Amino acid sequence: MQNIRVTKYLFFVVASLDILGIALKEPLLVYISKPFIIPILWLLYKLHVKKQSYFYSIALFCSFIGDTILMFNGLNFFMLGLVSFLIAHVFYIIIIRKRIKKLSNPKLFKFSIPFLLLVIGLISLLESKGLGTMHFPIIIYGITIGLFGTFALYSHLELKNNRSKLMFIGAVLFIISDATLAINAFYEPMLLFNLIVMISYIAAQYCIYESMIKINSPSVSGQ
């Protein structure tokens, strides 16, 4: 338990330093702290569970790659970061799908409507400034995060437990982070947007981590 407390404290310290670096416009502080956020979260997860989820570990690894790549400027770096997080979202969707016992396509479609409208609205907003070569990558990414939110909502309404609630909150926070990142990158760059992106992203990853360690049965599982 002592190791868990120390690691959790370290996670919040490093995350706070990253946010502080963004607020103070100190890139060195961001470069030093940001790459350690996800590895520390993975270590925290490893300390909590006896059997780790292979899918969750891959999602965290892809998030770590995305975090590192997005510290650099340029369209190519942005694209690589986009792909890394897209893969992470796919694995989060797989994790949620494994929790759902019976999937109803009509319900799934109904739950997808708010996320579909959000994605359409966001892409329409970004298109007003012109996306150029990023048009189709942004659409694909938007569909993916929309599915992430849809499956998380479906799972929560079906299971109605702490794990599903935390995963749903994590998905919504991730969508907020990704949408704000897109607005900041392609519509109107602002320091406030940078802060919202990182705060909501860290909160999202932490909520998902909490969902992954919640125990709803006598056996400890990382699923």
Side-chain angles (χ1 to χ4, degrees), residues 85-87 89-90 93 139-149:
F85 277 110
L86 187 145
I87 296 171
H89 290 324
V90 168
I93 292 169
I139 288 177
I140 293 170
Y141 192 86
I143 291 171
T144 304
I145 62 171
L147 285 173
F148 183 18

Side-chain angles (χ1 to χ4, degrees), residues 6 11 21 40-41 114 119-120 139 149-150 155 170:
V6 171
F11 171 79
I40 293 172
L41 190 63
V119 170
I120 292 173
I139 288 177
T150 300
S155 172

Side-chain angles (χ1 to χ4, degrees), residues 63-83:
S63 297
F64 163 70
I65 296 298
D67 279 347
T68 305
I69 291 173
L70 288 177
M71 288 194 299
F72 301 96
N73 295 321
L75 186 59
N76 289 336
F77 287 117
F78 188 87
M79 274 294 297
L80 289 172
L82 198 73
V83 170

Side-chain angles (χ1 to χ4, degrees), residues 199-210:
I199 291 170
S200 55
Y201 169 71
I202 292 169
Q205 292 284 22
Y206 188 78
C207 284
I208 294 170
Y209 147 77
E210 285 283 353

